[in-house]
Amino acid sequence: MDRVSNSMKQVPNQLPKVLSRRGGAGSLEAEREGFERSQTVSINKAINTQEVAVKENHSLACPSPCILGTHHEKGAHTFWSVVNRLPLSSNAVLCWKFCHVFHKLLRDGHPNVLKDSVRYKGELSDMSRMWGHLSEGYGQLCSVYLKLLRTKMEFHTKNPRFPGNLQMSDRQLDEAGENDVNNFFQLTVEIFDYLECELNLFQTVFSSLDMSRSVSVTVAGQCRLAPLIQVILDCSHLYDYTVKLLFKLHSCLPADTLQGHRDRFLEQFRKLKDLFYRSSNLQYFKRLIQIPQLPENPPNFLRASALSEHISPVVVIPAEASSPDSEPITDLVEMDTSSQQVRGQGSQRWRRRGLRREGGGKVLGHNGLQIVEGMGKRRGSSGRG
């Protein structure tokens, strides 16, 4: 993918030469050239070497220009023509931000984004292995994220009924298995694998941060945390579908046959519950997303009636706030349940930093944000286990 020299140079400010000179001055040609130029600008603004969160021109609930561009051209040709000229193998921050933008396009871009991107799976894997040799900083983060993106592409290729954003109705989920218990069994395994990659990225990001500091209100911390919004959205659906599929399998197969499934679910349930809880206590996410909490105890799949007790987790993204452009703050403690000790520290510090304090110890630097990503199609004949 990296078609430039291996030098550690900053991404050039000038536009990459993705626009060819075209003969004629037809309106369609002019429109196409204008589209490519605006997309090139938008992509380079989003994917750069600055260690800050990917900027949004609109609120998080609205599509970004990069996403809208894929719907305009019904694919991702322009996106890849720009990305292929970026030194993703030379700058880890640049690669990290590429992963974030590409994840968003796979979720919310035109369905043809997946088809146009599959050809790059091998290059993403090679880059993942390369960054994996770095044990610190963004190297490990990029390695794990690239693996997740490849897994996401493979899952949706095998299961075309599932849209990129994973939003499906219960009826669509039933149709995904084509009323075949073998299909449901294999689909559950594939969702386990998918969710495992999501959880690995979640844990890798948290492990890379000093959680004793107020990392989520620093630009460097936000750069690492921002992609987790996409991960939280994915995980909420994957967890929900896993629960429903496991109840379906237990209605058809002996409990002993599904012991491995139950063990794997329990491990992922505990991880996800902990990660959702930890995320909900970070100031960065409090401004941008309302994270659901999983139940205290995992579902009892041996009791069929327990399915009626299952509540699908719903992620709420407030509609009115843009991505924060916070100034670096490095001396505040995160305002979670263990931070009672800092509530008495004077209010002048908050005012000097342009923050406002609310009841319960919350500290907000931006207006609060509201859309509900609700419940959300499956396999073709290929890819069945």
Side-chain angles (χ1 to χ4, degrees):
M1 179 182 296
D2 185 6
R3 290 174 170 75
V4 296
S5 64
N6 292 325
S7 61
M8 298 292 290
K9 294 181 178 179
Q10 293 283 332
V11 180
N13 293 326
Q14 67 268 26
L15 298 180
K17 298 178 180 179
V18 298
L19 307 179
S20 59
R21 293 290 183 182
R22 296 181 173 88
S27 59
L28 291 178
E29 292 294 326
E31 179 183 349
R32 177 65 187 177
E33 183 169 328
F35 166 77
E36 290 183 348
R37 184 174 295 277
S38 66
Q39 280 295 287
T40 300
V41 171
S42 296
I43 294 167
N44 278 296
K45 281 185 177 180
I47 306 175
N48 55 59
T49 59
Q50 296 179 345
E51 193 179 2
V52 297
V54 171
K55 301 301 179 186
E56 299 284 352
N57 290 348
H58 308 290
S59 73
L60 290 175
C62 299
S64 70
C66 297
I67 292 174
L68 293 174
T70 66
H71 289 279
H72 177 83
E73 70 170 347
K74 296 179 172 57
H77 294 294
T78 302
F79 173 76
W80 283 108
S81 69
V82 176
V83 166
N84 282 333
R85 295 174 179 270
L86 300 177
L88 301 181
S89 297
S90 299
N91 189 293
V93 172
L94 188 75
C95 183
W96 177 250
K97 298 176 83 167
F98 153 75
C99 291
H100 184 184
V101 173
F102 183 40
H103 194 173
K104 289 171 67 69
L105 295 190
L106 287 173
R107 280 187 48 83
D108 300 317
H110 191 276
N112 285 340
V113 168
L114 175 63
K115 183 180 68 176
D116 294 341
S117 303
V118 166
R119 71 189 70 175
Y120 299 104
K121 282 198 310 179
E123 296 175 54
L124 295 181
S125 294
D126 292 341
M127 193 156 35
S128 176
R129 284 192 293 271
M130 184 208 74
W131 284 119
H133 292 302
L134 298 182
S135 59
E136 298 180 355
Y138 282 90
Q140 276 296 315
L141 295 175
C142 290
S143 179
V144 175
Y145 207 164
L146 288 163
K147 182 178 180 180
L148 165 59
L149 294 173
R150 179 184 172 110
T151 300
K152 184 175 180 68
M153 285 192 288
E154 291 174 343
F155 176 85
H156 290 286
T157 300
K158 288 182 180 180
N159 304 280
R161 292 177 185 264
F162 282 79
N165 62 10
L166 293 169
Q167 295 186 46
M168 298 178 71
S169 66
D170 289 346
R171 179 182 59 81
Q172 289 172 321
L173 184 62
D174 287 340
E175 293 173 351
E178 301 172 353
N179 294 318
D180 187 330
V181 67
N182 296 307
N183 287 347
F184 286 124
F185 189 96
Q186 179 62 24
L187 176 59
T188 306
V189 172
E190 292 169 4
I191 292 180
F192 277 144
D193 294 342
Y194 191 173
L195 182 55
E196 189 67 32
C197 288
E198 301 272 7
L199 294 173
N200 284 342
L201 179 60
F202 226 138
Q203 292 179 307
T204 303
V205 170
F206 276 8
S207 297
S208 73
L209 298 172
D210 181 0
M211 302 304 288
S212 67
R213 308 294 292 175
S214 153
V215 293
S216 76
V217 289
T218 68
V219 291
Q222 290 171 7
C223 185
R224 300 190 183 201
L225 290 169
L228 294 187
I229 291 176
Q230 312 304 314
V231 175
I232 291 168
L233 293 169
D234 284 348
C235 287
S236 65
H237 291 302
L238 294 174
Y239 166 79
D240 183 50
Y241 302 152
T242 302
V243 172
K244 293 174 178 177
L245 288 171
L246 282 174
F247 273 111
K248 185 180 296 293
L249 288 174
H250 279 79
S251 70
C252 303
L253 298 174
D256 290 347
T257 303
L258 298 169
Q259 182 63 54
H261 276 43
R262 290 196 300 275
D263 291 343
R264 194 170 184 190
F265 172 84
L266 183 59
E267 179 184 3
Q268 292 189 343
F269 171 83
R270 289 169 176 166
K271 289 180 181 178
L272 186 59
K273 180 178 174 64
D274 176 65
L275 292 168
F276 272 9
Y277 176 76
R278 294 170 67 186
S279 299
S280 66
N281 286 320
L282 292 178
Q283 285 302 130
Y284 177 67
F285 291 125
K286 287 180 179 179
R287 293 195 300 265
L288 299 175
I289 187 172
Q290 294 180 25
I291 303 171
Q293 297 300 309
L294 300 190
E296 186 65 28
N297 298 309
N300 182 0
F301 299 111
L302 302 180
R303 182 168 59 88
S305 60
L307 175 59
S308 63
E309 302 168 5
H310 170 65
I311 300 176
S312 300
V314 176
V315 177
V316 178
I317 299 181
E320 293 301 324
S322 301
S323 292
D325 295 326
S326 303
E327 295 182 358
I329 303 174
T330 58
D331 60 345
L332 304 181
V333 179
E334 287 297 344
M335 305 301 292
D336 59 13
T337 55
S338 65
S339 62
Q340 306 292 328
Q341 58 190 359
V342 301
R343 290 185 178 177
Q345 297 176 4
S347 61
Q348 291 184 355
R349 182 199 299 178
W350 313 116
R351 289 197 293 269
R352 286 199 303 270
R353 299 191 184 282
L355 303 171
R356 61 186 175 84
R357 194 171 189 174
E358 293 189 350
K362 281 189 176 181
V363 180
L364 303 177
H366 302 271
N367 292 332
L369 316 179
Q370 210 170 8
I371 99 175
V372 175
E373 174 166 315
M375 283 291 302
K377 287 170 184 198
R378 141 103 161 105
R379 60 176 61 250
S381 56
S382 63
R384 291 180 188 166

